[in-house]
């Protein structure tokens, strides 16, 4: 056993086991029983029925909806396209049918949850709901998951590229110069990755048509942020740093990203962290850029920028501190004694 499995490899296997179990726990914990909680809904109703209807919807067991009344259908539509709400219920007291306006490109799961809840409420009142989808996903993105999958590919590509750079000569103790070169290398890699991803989801598969160069820019930022964090963590912790990167981006970031289920359908932990991690921020930026003219993307772009900047700073500081420590520990060369 000692000849075949070293202590180091046994520890690496233990780390892989923990990542494997963490993967299972995170994904199944997030997805095994999605329940709607405070799904944002906009309500347009005459003042005579508005207060009663808001109270009825807010009193539903489990708080599945968060209702915001507005005065007009146009305002409700604007809130939907600005990504401030997931659905807009327009009540017509002169008819037995009300209209539910949705934009399922923003997340079919949230749309489906809102439709099911409101249809159940309508049936209890002997009314019907007519669903009108004003912004459906593209034909090649029928389930609305392409934004999530392209960001998934970019984040994985970023930290795997950083890991490949870390395997170069001198990777155990990267110098400041090597660290700067590795960080710089992530920029052209990210740009090529952005172009490749935009080509795949655009001309090749027609999943996310339009916004080609915007997707290139987003892809470059996502890949660079992932790569910079990978360089930083591996510079600080070596092989363990790769495990930490996988933990952040894949185990925690992907199931909480809102790509499969939005925050309103996730358990509290995943709902809280999703948009603070690069996969969630990236998915939001891609989806809202392609389908909603870039609305509600500023915060997510700041998140991606912060991760990229933080990765650069940590990587450079780690290399600089290591160089400074090595310089202090190296004994000063004494001048040779003169020959007699």
């Amino acid at each position: 056993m000692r000849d075949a499995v070293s202590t180091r490899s046994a520890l690496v296997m233990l780390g892989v086991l923990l990542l494997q179990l963490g993967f299972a726990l995170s994904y199944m914990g997030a997805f095994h029983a999605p329940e709607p909680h405070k799904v944002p809904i906009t309500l347009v109703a005459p003042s005579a029925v508005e207060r009663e209807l808001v109270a009825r919807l807010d009193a539903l067991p489990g708080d599945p909806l968060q209702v915001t009344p507005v005065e007009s259908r146009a305002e409700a539509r604007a809130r939907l396209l600005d990504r401030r709400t997931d659905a807009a219920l327009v009540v017509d007291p002169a008819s037995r049918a009300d209209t539910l306006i949705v934009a399922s490109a923003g997340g079919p799961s949230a749309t489906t949850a809102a439709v099911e809840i409101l249809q159940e409420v309508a049936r209890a009142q002997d009314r019907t709901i007519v669903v009108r989808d004003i912004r459906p996903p593209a034909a090649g993105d029928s389930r609305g998951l392409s934004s999530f999958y392209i960001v998934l590919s970019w984040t994985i590509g970023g930290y795997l590229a950083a890991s490949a750079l870390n395997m170069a000569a001198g990777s155990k103790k990267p110098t400041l110069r090597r660290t700067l070169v590795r960080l710089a290398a992530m920029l052209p890699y990210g740009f090529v990755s952005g172009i490749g991803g935009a080509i795949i989801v655009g001309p090749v598969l027609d999943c996310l048509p339009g916004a080609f160069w915007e997707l290139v820019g987003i892809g470059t930022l996502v890949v660079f942020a992932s790569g910079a964090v990978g360089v930083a963590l591996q510079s600080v912790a070596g092989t363990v740093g790769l495990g930490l990167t996988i933990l952040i981006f894949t185990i925690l970031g992907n199931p909480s990203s809102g790509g499969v289920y939005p925050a309103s359908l996730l358990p509290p932990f995943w709902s809280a962290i999703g948009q603070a991690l690069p996969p969630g921020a990236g998915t939001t930026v891609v989806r809202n850029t392609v389908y909603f003219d870039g609305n509600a993307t500023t915060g997510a772009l700041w998140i991606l920028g912060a991760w990229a900047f933080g990765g650069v700073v940590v990587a450079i500081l780690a290399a600089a501190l290591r160089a400074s420590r090595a310089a202090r520990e190296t004994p000063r060369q004494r001048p040779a004694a003169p020959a007699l």
Side-chain angles (χ1 to χ4, degrees):
M1 285 292 293
R2 289 181 179 179
D3 181 63
V5 181
S6 66
T7 302
R8 177 182 173 83
S9 61
L11 291 175
V12 170
M13 288 180 65
L14 176 60
V16 171
L17 175 62
L18 293 176
L19 288 175
Q20 170 190 318
L21 297 177
F23 186 96
L25 175 62
S26 185
Y27 277 72
M28 287 186 279
F31 297 156
H32 78 290
E35 290 288 340
H37 181 70
K38 294 188 179 298
V39 177
I41 299 295
T42 297
L43 175 66
V44 182
S47 55
V49 300
E50 178 186 287
R51 180 174 298 180
E52 178 187 352
L53 186 54
V54 169
R56 184 185 306 130
L57 295 176
D58 283 342
L60 291 174
D63 292 329
L65 303 178
Q66 185 175 35
V67 184
T68 301
V70 298
E71 294 184 357
S72 68
R73 186 187 187 113
E75 185 179 354
R77 179 189 172 94
R79 286 177 58 86
L80 190 60
L81 296 179
D82 289 345
R83 306 313 301 139
R84 290 179 288 164
T85 190
D86 284 336
L89 178 62
V90 181
V91 176
D92 181 6
S95 170
R96 303 301 300 177
D98 300 323
T99 302
L100 183 64
I101 307 173
V102 299
S104 60
S109 299
T111 298
T112 300
V115 170
E116 291 177 352
I117 294 168
L118 291 172
Q119 283 180 337
E120 184 176 347
V121 172
R123 282 193 295 268
Q125 301 297 315
D126 195 24
R127 300 180 67 83
T128 59
I129 295 281
V130 177
V131 179
R132 184 185 173 207
D133 195 344
I134 62 173
R135 194 60 57 85
D141 185 29
S142 59
R143 297 182 62 195
L145 296 176
S146 296
S147 301
F148 166 67
Y149 284 123
I150 188 60
V151 171
L152 172 63
S153 73
W154 282 333
T155 54
I156 292 177
Y159 69 68
L160 287 183
S163 181
L165 290 172
N166 195 56
M167 294 177 185
S171 61
K172 291 184 178 180
K173 294 183 179 180
T175 62
L176 180 58
R177 181 180 63 83
R178 288 175 182 145
T179 297
L180 292 174
V181 169
R182 291 170 186 175
L183 291 172
M186 292 308 306
L187 279 174
Y189 179 83
F191 182 66
V192 173
S193 297
I195 290 178
I199 290 173
I200 290 172
V201 299
V204 175
L205 298 178
D206 199 33
C207 297
L208 301 173
F212 178 87
W213 287 110
E214 290 89 340
L215 288 176
V216 171
I218 296 166
T220 303
L221 177 57
V222 170
V223 173
F224 182 78
S226 175
V229 172
V231 170
L233 291 178
Q234 291 178 68
S235 178
V236 171
T239 304
V240 175
L242 175 60
L244 293 175
T245 309
I246 295 173
L247 174 67
I248 293 171
F249 285 90
T250 301
I251 294 178
L252 295 178
N254 288 340
S256 65
S257 67
V260 179
Y261 293 120
S264 56
L265 269 68
L266 292 174
F269 172 74
W270 288 269
S271 176
I273 67 173
Q275 292 304 304
L277 299 177
T283 299
T284 295
V285 173
V286 170
R287 181 178 281 161
N288 289 1
T289 297
V290 172
Y291 289 121
F292 299 100
D293 303 318
N295 292 323
T297 58
T298 302
L301 285 170
W302 275 105
I303 292 293
L304 290 173
W307 278 93
F309 179 76
V312 170
V313 170
V314 171
I316 293 175
L317 284 178
L321 290 173
R322 188 180 300 110
S324 176
R325 188 183 306 114
R328 290 196 305 269
E329 292 175 354
T330 301
R332 295 181 179 179
Q333 296 292 330
R334 294 183 178 181
L340 296 177

mmCIF file of all heavy atoms in Angstrom, residues 58-82:
data_model
loop_
_atom_site.group_PDB
_atom_site.id
_atom_site.type_symbol
_atom_site.label_atom_id
_atom_site.label_comp_id
_atom_site.label_asym_id
_atom_site.label_seq_id
_atom_site.Cartn_x
_atom_site.Cartn_y
_atom_site.Cartn_z
ATOM 1 N N ASP A 58 -51.635 37.147 -0.225
ATOM 2 C CA ASP A 58 -50.579 37.183 0.788
ATOM 3 C C ASP A 58 -50.826 36.182 1.912
ATOM 4 O O ASP A 58 -49.887 35.821 2.636
ATOM 5 C CB ASP A 58 -50.463 38.595 1.384
ATOM 6 C CG ASP A 58 -49.749 39.548 0.446
ATOM 7 O OD1 ASP A 58 -49.057 39.076 -0.473
ATOM 8 O OD2 ASP A 58 -49.890 40.781 0.628
ATOM 9 N N ALA A 59 -52.073 35.765 2.069
ATOM 10 C CA ALA A 59 -52.404 34.837 3.159
ATOM 11 C C ALA A 59 -52.305 33.372 2.752
ATOM 12 O O ALA A 59 -52.602 32.493 3.570
ATOM 13 C CB ALA A 59 -53.820 35.132 3.664
ATOM 14 N N LEU A 60 -51.889 33.097 1.521
ATOM 15 C CA LEU A 60 -51.776 31.703 1.090
ATOM 16 C C LEU A 60 -50.754 30.963 1.962
ATOM 17 O O LEU A 60 -49.720 31.536 2.336
ATOM 18 C CB LEU A 60 -51.346 31.644 -0.378
ATOM 19 C CG LEU A 60 -52.370 32.131 -1.402
ATOM 20 C CD1 LEU A 60 -51.754 32.150 -2.802
ATOM 21 C CD2 LEU A 60 -53.614 31.249 -1.380
ATOM 22 N N PRO A 61 -51.003 29.710 2.305
ATOM 23 C CA PRO A 61 -50.079 28.957 3.168
ATOM 24 C C PRO A 61 -48.675 28.876 2.571
ATOM 25 O O PRO A 61 -48.512 28.598 1.380
ATOM 26 C CB PRO A 61 -50.730 27.570 3.242
ATOM 27 C CG PRO A 61 -52.166 27.795 2.896
ATOM 28 C CD PRO A 61 -52.191 28.921 1.925
ATOM 29 N N GLY A 62 -47.660 29.132 3.416
ATOM 30 C CA GLY A 62 -46.278 29.049 2.971
ATOM 31 C C GLY A 62 -45.749 30.299 2.302
ATOM 32 O O GLY A 62 -44.613 30.306 1.827
ATOM 33 N N ASP A 63 -46.534 31.357 2.221
ATOM 34 C CA ASP A 63 -46.113 32.608 1.576
ATOM 35 C C ASP A 63 -45.529 32.373 0.192
ATOM 36 O O ASP A 63 -44.398 32.787 -0.112
ATOM 37 C CB ASP A 63 -45.062 33.335 2.440
ATOM 38 C CG ASP A 63 -45.648 33.857 3.738
ATOM 39 O OD1 ASP A 63 -46.844 34.206 3.744
ATOM 40 O OD2 ASP A 63 -44.905 33.903 4.731
ATOM 41 N N PRO A 64 -46.277 31.720 -0.717
ATOM 42 C CA PRO A 64 -45.707 31.445 -2.043
ATOM 43 C C PRO A 64 -45.575 32.686 -2.919
ATOM 44 O O PRO A 64 -44.782 32.692 -3.861
ATOM 45 C CB PRO A 64 -46.700 30.454 -2.645
ATOM 46 C CG PRO A 64 -47.993 30.780 -1.980
ATOM 47 C CD PRO A 64 -47.646 31.189 -0.591
ATOM 48 N N LEU A 65 -46.365 33.742 -2.626
ATOM 49 C CA LEU A 65 -46.376 34.920 -3.479
ATOM 50 C C LEU A 65 -46.026 36.182 -2.689
ATOM 51 O O LEU A 65 -46.303 36.275 -1.492
ATOM 52 C CB LEU A 65 -47.745 35.115 -4.130
ATOM 53 C CG LEU A 65 -48.288 33.961 -4.977
ATOM 54 C CD1 LEU A 65 -49.679 34.306 -5.492
ATOM 55 C CD2 LEU A 65 -47.351 33.627 -6.122
ATOM 56 N N GLN A 66 -45.427 37.139 -3.385
ATOM 57 C CA GLN A 66 -45.199 38.475 -2.839
ATOM 58 C C GLN A 66 -45.839 39.451 -3.824
ATOM 59 O O GLN A 66 -45.327 39.679 -4.919
ATOM 60 C CB GLN A 66 -43.710 38.766 -2.680
ATOM 61 C CG GLN A 66 -43.412 40.089 -2.005
ATOM 62 C CD GLN A 66 -41.923 40.265 -1.757
ATOM 63 O OE1 GLN A 66 -41.104 39.833 -2.556
ATOM 64 N NE2 GLN A 66 -41.586 40.882 -0.640
ATOM 65 N N VAL A 67 -46.966 40.015 -3.427
ATOM 66 C CA VAL A 67 -47.807 40.777 -4.347
ATOM 67 C C VAL A 67 -47.532 42.268 -4.234
ATOM 68 O O VAL A 67 -47.472 42.822 -3.132
ATOM 69 C CB VAL A 67 -49.297 40.497 -4.065
ATOM 70 C CG1 VAL A 67 -50.180 41.220 -5.090
ATOM 71 C CG2 VAL A 67 -49.577 39.002 -4.086
ATOM 72 N N THR A 68 -47.361 42.902 -5.392
ATOM 73 C CA THR A 68 -47.193 44.355 -5.466
ATOM 74 C C THR A 68 -48.278 44.922 -6.372
ATOM 75 O O THR A 68 -48.274 44.666 -7.582
ATOM 76 C CB THR A 68 -45.811 44.731 -6.028
ATOM 77 O OG1 THR A 68 -44.797 44.187 -5.195
ATOM 78 C CG2 THR A 68 -45.655 46.246 -6.102
ATOM 79 N N PRO A 69 -49.238 45.679 -5.844
ATOM 80 C CA PRO A 69 -50.273 46.270 -6.702
ATOM 81 C C PRO A 69 -49.755 47.501 -7.447
ATOM 82 O O PRO A 69 -48.986 48.286 -6.900
ATOM 83 C CB PRO A 69 -51.372 46.652 -5.706
ATOM 84 C CG PRO A 69 -50.663 46.822 -4.400
ATOM 85 C CD PRO A 69 -49.474 45.924 -4.417
ATOM 86 N N VAL A 70 -50.169 47.644 -8.685
ATOM 87 C CA VAL A 70 -49.858 48.830 -9.486
ATOM 88 C C VAL A 70 -51.140 49.312 -10.143
ATOM 89 O O VAL A 70 -52.157 48.616 -10.135
ATOM 90 C CB VAL A 70 -48.778 48.536 -10.549
ATOM 91 C CG1 VAL A 70 -47.462 48.119 -9.891
ATOM 92 C CG2 VAL A 70 -49.237 47.468 -11.530
ATOM 93 N N GLU A 71 -51.066 50.481 -10.755
ATOM 94 C CA GLU A 71 -52.287 51.116 -11.249
ATOM 95 C C GLU A 71 -52.677 50.695 -12.652
ATOM 96 O O GLU A 71 -53.864 50.737 -12.995
ATOM 97 C CB GLU A 71 -52.128 52.641 -11.207
ATOM 98 C CG GLU A 71 -52.007 53.203 -9.788
ATOM 99 C CD GLU A 71 -51.939 54.715 -9.782
ATOM 100 O OE1 GLU A 71 -51.924 55.303 -10.887
ATOM 101 O OE2 GLU A 71 -51.905 55.288 -8.680
ATOM 102 N N SER A 72 -51.722 50.321 -13.486
ATOM 103 C CA SER A 72 -52.065 50.090 -14.886
ATOM 104 C C SER A 72 -51.387 48.842 -15.440
ATOM 105 O O SER A 72 -50.368 48.373 -14.927
ATOM 106 C CB SER A 72 -51.658 51.293 -15.744
ATOM 107 O OG SER A 72 -50.247 51.410 -15.794
ATOM 108 N N ARG A 73 -51.972 48.347 -16.509
ATOM 109 C CA ARG A 73 -51.404 47.200 -17.222
ATOM 110 C C ARG A 73 -50.036 47.546 -17.796
ATOM 111 O O ARG A 73 -49.133 46.707 -17.791
ATOM 112 C CB ARG A 73 -52.380 46.794 -18.328
ATOM 113 C CG ARG A 73 -52.014 45.522 -19.068
ATOM 114 C CD ARG A 73 -52.957 45.323 -20.253
ATOM 115 N NE ARG A 73 -52.753 44.032 -20.885
ATOM 116 C CZ ARG A 73 -53.626 43.048 -20.881
ATOM 117 N NH1 ARG A 73 -54.776 43.187 -20.231
ATOM 118 N NH2 ARG A 73 -53.377 41.921 -21.514
ATOM 119 N N ALA A 74 -49.881 48.776 -18.295
ATOM 120 C CA ALA A 74 -48.599 49.191 -18.868
ATOM 121 C C ALA A 74 -47.505 49.181 -17.809
ATOM 122 O O ALA A 74 -46.366 48.763 -18.071
ATOM 123 C CB ALA A 74 -48.732 50.582 -19.486
ATOM 124 N N GLU A 75 -47.820 49.627 -16.600
ATOM 125 C CA GLU A 75 -46.833 49.616 -15.522
ATOM 126 C C GLU A 75 -46.464 48.184 -15.143
ATOM 127 O O GLU A 75 -45.290 47.885 -14.881
ATOM 128 C CB GLU A 75 -47.368 50.366 -14.312
ATOM 129 C CG GLU A 75 -46.362 50.499 -13.183
ATOM 130 C CD GLU A 75 -46.895 51.280 -11.993
ATOM 131 O OE1 GLU A 75 -48.022 51.819 -12.086
ATOM 132 O OE2 GLU A 75 -46.182 51.342 -10.969
ATOM 133 N N ALA A 76 -47.452 47.305 -15.115
ATOM 134 C CA ALA A 76 -47.181 45.900 -14.802
ATOM 135 C C ALA A 76 -46.291 45.272 -15.865
ATOM 136 O O ALA A 76 -45.351 44.527 -15.548
ATOM 137 C CB ALA A 76 -48.493 45.132 -14.699
ATOM 138 N N ARG A 77 -46.570 45.579 -17.120
ATOM 139 C CA ARG A 77 -45.741 45.046 -18.214
ATOM 140 C C ARG A 77 -44.307 45.559 -18.100
ATOM 141 O O ARG A 77 -43.350 44.796 -18.293
ATOM 142 C CB ARG A 77 -46.356 45.460 -19.549
ATOM 143 C CG ARG A 77 -45.571 44.999 -20.766
ATOM 144 C CD ARG A 77 -46.138 45.641 -22.020
ATOM 145 N NE ARG A 77 -45.297 45.360 -23.164
ATOM 146 C CZ ARG A 77 -45.477 44.356 -24.017
ATOM 147 N NH1 ARG A 77 -46.481 43.517 -23.842
ATOM 148 N NH2 ARG A 77 -44.656 44.180 -25.044
ATOM 149 N N ALA A 78 -44.146 46.840 -17.777
ATOM 150 C CA ALA A 78 -42.809 47.417 -17.629
ATOM 151 C C ALA A 78 -42.045 46.739 -16.497
ATOM 152 O O ALA A 78 -40.855 46.443 -16.621
ATOM 153 C CB ALA A 78 -42.905 48.917 -17.388
ATOM 154 N N ARG A 79 -42.710 46.475 -15.379
ATOM 155 C CA ARG A 79 -42.058 45.794 -14.261
ATOM 156 C C ARG A 79 -41.623 44.384 -14.665
ATOM 157 O O ARG A 79 -40.570 43.909 -14.238
ATOM 158 C CB ARG A 79 -43.018 45.715 -13.065
ATOM 159 C CG ARG A 79 -43.217 47.030 -12.341
ATOM 160 C CD ARG A 79 -44.249 46.869 -11.212
ATOM 161 N NE ARG A 79 -43.854 45.850 -10.266
ATOM 162 C CZ ARG A 79 -43.052 46.050 -9.218
ATOM 163 N NH1 ARG A 79 -42.556 47.256 -8.990
ATOM 164 N NH2 ARG A 79 -42.749 45.061 -8.392
ATOM 165 N N LEU A 80 -42.422 43.741 -15.499
ATOM 166 C CA LEU A 80 -42.091 42.386 -15.939
ATOM 167 C C LEU A 80 -40.842 42.397 -16.821
ATOM 168 O O LEU A 80 -39.934 41.577 -16.650
ATOM 169 C CB LEU A 80 -43.279 41.802 -16.700
ATOM 170 C CG LEU A 80 -43.247 40.312 -17.050
ATOM 171 C CD1 LEU A 80 -43.153 39.463 -15.797
ATOM 172 C CD2 LEU A 80 -44.480 39.942 -17.856
ATOM 173 N N LEU A 81 -40.765 43.335 -17.743
ATOM 174 C CA LEU A 81 -39.620 43.405 -18.651
ATOM 175 C C LEU A 81 -38.389 43.987 -17.969
ATOM 176 O O LEU A 81 -37.265 43.755 -18.420
ATOM 177 C CB LEU A 81 -39.982 44.227 -19.887
ATOM 178 C CG LEU A 81 -41.092 43.631 -20.763
ATOM 179 C CD1 LEU A 81 -41.383 44.545 -21.936
ATOM 180 C CD2 LEU A 81 -40.714 42.233 -21.256
ATOM 181 N N ASP A 82 -38.581 44.749 -16.888
ATOM 182 C CA ASP A 82 -37.449 45.268 -16.108
ATOM 183 C C ASP A 82 -36.925 44.249 -15.111
ATOM 184 O O ASP A 82 -35.978 44.533 -14.372
ATOM 185 C CB ASP A 82 -37.857 46.535 -15.350
ATOM 186 C CG ASP A 82 -38.047 47.723 -16.281
ATOM 187 O OD1 ASP A 82 -37.589 47.638 -17.442
ATOM 188 O OD2 ASP A 82 -38.651 48.717 -15.855
#
